[in-house]
């Protein structure tokens, strides 16, 4: 009796928190979706899970933080100055951080490809070796930052460098400027990526390699170059995601990539690994389910994770190749 | 000589698939390599295209040694291939597949490209009707047309065709061979690999017979058509 009443009360609570938790879910989902793109693109061309994608995310997160430090914003806040509120200064700071974050993401992803994977490809290494190299690269980067990074293993938290302001309400739920920046920013990046993959010549090259690498070579596609570009693009997305995540949660640590990476990888599998649209759909769904889950079953974030993974298992039971199934190969984008 | 293959050896791991073959293709010819399944025909074409490494021997194209040239550069200098099994990109439309054919061409945006497209559509009107259809959803014959059309979009100096008749109905086979002859008459050199030896020998100028990685016979095609050994082994014995 008490149990069911308790359950009912939680459910009533869930309904009353539905829109706020939906907004949180969209924000999380936008970040997951961008990171998931990196997993899915690389899987498409190499049939490899690039575990170091999460560390690309982590490096970029540190990159945007360091940029804010270099701009002296924390000192300004410490000496009683205002956080940046609006106007061109905010736009400038955000644009600069995004640029740094994206560049670090792209560059580190390219380095990972060059150092951890290309030498193996040139030696025709077995698949398992690639996997081990992927895990090794992931650990090496995160441990290096843990040992020698700016805050070692401690959390690198930043006083909010800009002021969150409520912009408007949706169905009674507050929508903050940070929410809008994250969702709109992610949407623009995802759209740019979808257009690049589906419309550009190089995007066609990426799809050709994913669908049939040997025939792509016969068409004159430089497969090594396409692989490098694929890592670059995946890294740009992870970099952008890291910056957006920092706006939502201004905190970074040497292992921040891990939890995000697991979610994003899950999102990619949920949507159908290798499938660009699947990664976007999977990311958004996972963010929403996680947020709704923790709202429904209590505020503990772990409950949200449980809900997300239970959903993954259920979906894979019914559709083993994910929601949109087909790989980058078979689908049109 | 447009293409010269000299004493070529190719391995899969420790297994030697091509054991020292030599042959030539002259400008304007149709040359055919015939032989049973597993003789090494596809491996030979793949090696000429640069997607299989050469263990020993040389490949000379227009007088230049290209044995070590990477595959993507070979498309640029004029070697293109419609591979065995057609190799259509299943998730791409007919148009996108054709675009892949001129992926490396420097003048891919110019009028020559539209002229080539027009030529492909003239040879294969069926493709023009199905520009937006996904490659993977087309019939075998249509895919073969697309594979040949795509290879033509590279403006090849030599067109490598790997079993274009495979899995097609007899009517369609005749049609495909007619088109290959027409492409050749328009000035493209053709190196044709076939198990359908009768058709290949009727269309080709010269032929080489491959057996387990060796060239066992080479002669003008019409001569092989009347060769008793070849008839017994490859032409169904009549
Ligand atoms: N990818 C491969 N790995 C190992 N052996 C192969 C591979 N491809 C072909 N072979 C072997 O090489 C030989 C020649 O094959 P192939 O060139 O495909 O012959 P054909 O095209 O004349 O049927 C065969 O013995 C075949 O089993
Ligand atoms: Mg073959």
């Amino acid at each position: 009796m008490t149990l069911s009443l308790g359950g009912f009360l939680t459910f009533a609570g869930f309904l009353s928190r539905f829109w706020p938790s939906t907004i949180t879910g969209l924000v999380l989902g936008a970040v997951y979706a961008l990171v998931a793109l990196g997993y899915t693109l690389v899987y498409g061309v190499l049939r490899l899970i690039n575990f170091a994608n999460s560390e690309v995310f982590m490096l970029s997160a540190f990159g945007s933080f360091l940029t804010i430090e270099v701009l002296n914003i924390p000192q300004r806040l410490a000496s009683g100055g205002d956080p940046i509120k609006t106007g061109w200064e905010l736009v400038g700071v955000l644009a600069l951080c995004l640029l740094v974050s994206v560049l670090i993401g792209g560059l580190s992803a390219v380095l990972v490809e060059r150092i951890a994977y290309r030498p193996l490809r040139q030696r025709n290494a077995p698949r398992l070796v690639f996997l081990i190299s992927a895990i090794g690269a992931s650990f090496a980067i995160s441990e290096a930052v843990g040992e020698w990074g700016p805050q070692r293993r401690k959390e690198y938290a930043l006083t909010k460098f800009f002021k969150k302001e409520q912009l408007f309400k949706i169905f009674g739920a507050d929508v903050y400027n940070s929410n809008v920046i994250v969702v709109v920013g992610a949407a623009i990046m995802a759209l740019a990526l979808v257009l690049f993959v589906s419309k550009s010549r190089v995007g066609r090259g990426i799809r050709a390699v994913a669908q049939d690498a040997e025939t792509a070579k016969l068409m004159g596609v430089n497969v090594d170059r396409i692989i490098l570009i694929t890592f670059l693009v995946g890294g740009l997305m992870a970099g952008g995601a890291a910056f957006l995540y920092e706006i939502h949660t201004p905190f970074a640590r040497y292992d921040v990539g891990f939890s995000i990476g697991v979610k994003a990888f899950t999102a990619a599998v949920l949507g159908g690994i290798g499938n660009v649209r699947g990664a976007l759909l999977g990311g958004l769904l996972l963010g929403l389910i996680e947020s709704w889950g923790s709202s429904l079953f209590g505020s503990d974030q772990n409950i949200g994770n449980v809900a997300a993974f239970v959903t993954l298992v259920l979906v894979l039971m019914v559709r083993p190749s994910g929601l949109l199934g087909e790989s980058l190969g078979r689908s049109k984008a | 000589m447009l293409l010269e293959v000299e004493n070529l050896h190719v391995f899969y791991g420790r297994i030697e698939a091509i054991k020292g073959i030599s042959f030539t293709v002259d400008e304007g010819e149709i040359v055919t390599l015939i032989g049973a399944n597993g003789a090494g025909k596809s491996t030979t074409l793949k090696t000429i295209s640069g997607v299989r490494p050469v263990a020993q021997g040389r490949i000379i194209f227009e007088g230049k040694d290209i044995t070590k040239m990477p595959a993507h550069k070979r498309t640029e200098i004029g070697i293109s291939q419609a591979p065995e099994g057609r190799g259509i990109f299943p998730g791409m439309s007919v148009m996108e597949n054709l675009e892949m054919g001129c992926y490396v061409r420097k003048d891919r945006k110019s009028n020559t490209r539209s002229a080539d497209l027009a030529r492909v559509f003239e040879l294969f009107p069926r493709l023009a009707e199905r520009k937006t259809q996904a490659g993977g959803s087309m019939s075998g014959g249509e895919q073969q047309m697309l594979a040949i059309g795509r290879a033509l979009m590279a403006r090849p100096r030599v067109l490598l065709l790997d079993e274009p008749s495979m899995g097609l109905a007899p009517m369609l086979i005749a049609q495909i061979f007619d088109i290959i002859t027409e492409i050749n008459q328009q000035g493209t050199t053709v190196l044709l690999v076939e198990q359908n030896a009768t058709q290949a020998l009727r269309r080709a100028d010269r032929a080489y017979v491959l057996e387990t990685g060796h060239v066992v016979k080479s002669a003008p095609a019409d001569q092989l058509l009347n060769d008793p050994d070849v008839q017994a082994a490859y032409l169904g014995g009549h």
Side-chain angles (χ1 to χ4, degrees):
Chain A
M1 182 66 200
T2 23
L3 254 180
S4 67
L5 188 64
F8 176 74
L9 283 177
T10 318
F11 188 69
F14 169 69
L15 286 184
S16 73
R17 288 188 302 270
F18 181 77
W19 288 107
S21 66
T22 301
I23 290 167
T24 310
L26 283 177
V27 167
L28 282 176
V31 172
Y32 296 159
L34 287 184
V35 182
L37 285 173
Y39 287 105
T40 237
L41 285 168
V42 167
Y43 183 85
V45 295
L46 282 183
R47 301 289 182 274
L48 163 81
I49 306 299
N50 173 23
F51 283 107
N53 192 40
S54 51
E55 274 51 58
V56 167
F57 175 93
M58 182 268 294
L59 290 175
S60 296
F62 273 93
S64 20
F65 267 26
L66 290 173
T67 315
I68 289 166
E69 293 242 339
V70 168
L71 291 174
N72 262 336
I73 292 166
Q75 285 83 335
R76 184 170 109 181
L77 292 175
S79 58
D82 290 329
I84 309 163
K85 277 183 194 150
T86 46
W88 291 112
E89 189 182 6
L90 180 61
V91 173
V93 169
L94 291 179
L96 188 68
C97 289
L98 175 66
L99 187 71
V100 170
S101 197
V102 160
L103 286 181
I104 290 179
L107 187 72
S108 52
V110 163
L111 285 177
V112 165
E113 200 283 308
R114 275 290 164 102
I115 296 166
Y117 304 129
R118 181 176 292 197
L120 299 179
R121 265 206 322 283
Q122 284 166 343
R123 286 167 184 75
N124 272 323
R127 195 152 290 267
L128 185 62
V129 177
F130 279 88
L131 203 65
I132 291 166
S133 191
I135 295 168
S138 171
F139 273 113
I141 299 171
S142 95
E143 288 301 309
V145 171
E147 279 302 308
W148 302 304
Q151 299 287 320
R152 315 270 318 252
R153 286 178 197 274
K154 287 204 302 276
E155 193 171 300
Y156 189 168
L158 204 61
T159 26
K160 295 181 178 69
F161 66 95
F162 82 104
K163 195 165 170 229
K164 287 195 184 177
E165 277 177 349
Q166 186 202 324
L167 289 185
F168 52 89
K169 281 180 183 278
I170 295 178
F171 301 108
D174 295 338
V175 178
Y176 288 95
N177 51 356
S178 60
N179 301 146
V180 174
I181 292 173
V182 174
V183 172
V184 172
I188 291 172
M189 291 187 64
L191 183 68
L193 179 106
V194 167
L195 287 178
F196 170 71
V197 172
S198 63
K199 298 279 185 262
S200 76
R201 169 171 169 271
V202 175
R204 211 158 36 233
I206 292 176
R207 282 183 291 144
V209 172
Q211 295 178 25
D212 183 344
E214 185 163 294
T215 305
K217 277 187 198 169
L218 294 178
M219 301 296 117
V221 177
N222 182 344
V223 173
D224 270 330
R225 195 153 152 257
I226 288 291
I227 289 171
L228 200 70
I229 291 171
T230 305
F231 273 85
L232 174 70
V233 170
L236 296 178
M237 293 295 136
F243 166 69
L244 296 175
Y245 183 73
E246 293 310 318
I247 288 183
H248 178 67
T249 320
F251 136 88
R253 201 169 56 199
Y254 75 103
D255 60 353
V256 67
F258 182 75
S259 56
I260 298 285
V262 168
K263 295 293 176 47
F265 172 61
T266 306
V269 174
L270 181 67
I273 186 114
N275 184 318
V276 167
R277 275 151 218 216
L280 297 175
L281 178 68
L284 281 181
L285 272 181
L286 205 71
L288 285 171
I289 291 165
E290 183 183 328
S291 182
W292 287 335
S294 52
S295 163
L296 183 58
F297 298 113
S299 57
D300 185 355
Q301 224 225 322
N302 289 328
I303 305 254
N305 293 344
V306 171
F309 289 114
V310 166
T311 309
L312 174 73
V313 170
L314 291 179
V315 167
L316 292 187
M317 273 162 63
V318 186
R319 295 184 64 96
S321 55
L323 288 172
L324 301 188
E326 312 153 348
S327 70
L328 186 66
R330 313 272 137 181
S331 77
K332 278 199 121 184
Chain B
M1 266 321 145
L2 184 62
L3 177 70
E4 293 163 78
V5 171
E6 287 177 16
N7 187 31
L8 191 72
H9 293 259
V10 181
F11 286 77
Y12 289 104
R14 262 182 273 143
I15 297 162
E16 189 170 20
I18 303 294
K19 302 164 183 160
I21 66 172
S22 301
F23 63 90
T24 58
V25 180
D26 210 348
E27 185 96 55
E29 280 188 305
I30 299 184
V31 172
T32 183
L33 307 179
I34 58 173
N37 200 10
K41 307 179 296 295
S42 297
T43 305
T44 304
L45 288 197
K46 284 175 181 171
T47 310
I48 295 172
S49 283
V51 294
R52 290 285 175 278
V54 174
Q56 196 191 322
R58 298 200 304 165
I59 302 169
I60 317 272
F61 183 68
E62 295 189 297
K64 208 176 131 208
D65 188 334
I66 61 161
T67 314
K68 296 225 151 64
M69 182 183 277
H72 62 270
K73 296 243 169 73
R74 300 191 197 197
T75 320
E76 245 170 286
I77 61 168
I79 299 173
S80 83
Q81 182 176 163
E84 185 175 61
R86 298 143 199 159
I88 295 307
F89 299 111
M92 291 191 195
S93 68
V94 167
M95 267 316 265
E96 284 184 309
N97 267 285
L98 292 173
E99 296 278 1
M100 284 309 300
C102 54
Y103 189 82
V104 286
R105 271 183 50 193
K106 301 272 184 299
D107 58 353
R108 61 181 171 268
K109 285 213 170 14
S110 70
N111 296 337
T112 49
R113 177 191 157 283
S114 9
D116 290 342
L117 207 54
R119 175 187 172 207
V120 169
F121 287 147
E122 204 173 283
L123 287 166
F124 305 107
R126 208 86 193 136
L127 297 182
E129 294 161 20
R130 295 173 177 244
K131 284 180 192 159
T132 58
Q133 189 175 334
S137 69
M138 300 209 301
S139 74
E142 289 162 350
Q143 288 195 353
Q144 190 58 61
M145 295 174 189
L146 182 53
I148 298 175
R150 185 179 61 180
L152 285 176
M153 289 302 290
R155 283 226 160 177
R157 303 270 288 116
V158 61
L159 175 63
L160 313 182
L161 299 175
D162 196 344
E163 300 212 33
S165 74
M166 191 167 66
L168 301 187
M171 272 269 292
L172 218 50
I173 293 180
Q175 199 186 336
I176 291 277
F177 276 108
D178 282 346
I179 291 169
I180 293 168
T181 309
E182 189 178 338
I183 290 168
N184 177 251
Q185 280 161 359
Q186 291 173 359
T188 307
T189 308
V190 175
L191 176 56
L192 171 68
V193 154
E194 263 301 342
Q195 279 195 64
N196 187 335
T198 317
Q199 281 286 352
L201 290 176
R202 276 196 197 131
R203 308 291 177 147
D205 299 300
R206 291 184 306 113
Y208 295 84
V209 181
L210 250 62
E211 263 171 33
T212 58
H214 296 282
V215 170
V216 294
K217 246 186 214 315
S218 72
D222 46 8
Q223 200 174 315
L224 283 188
L225 211 44
N226 300 313
D227 181 309
D229 292 347
V230 171
Q231 283 181 340
Y234 303 107
L235 305 178
H238 44 87

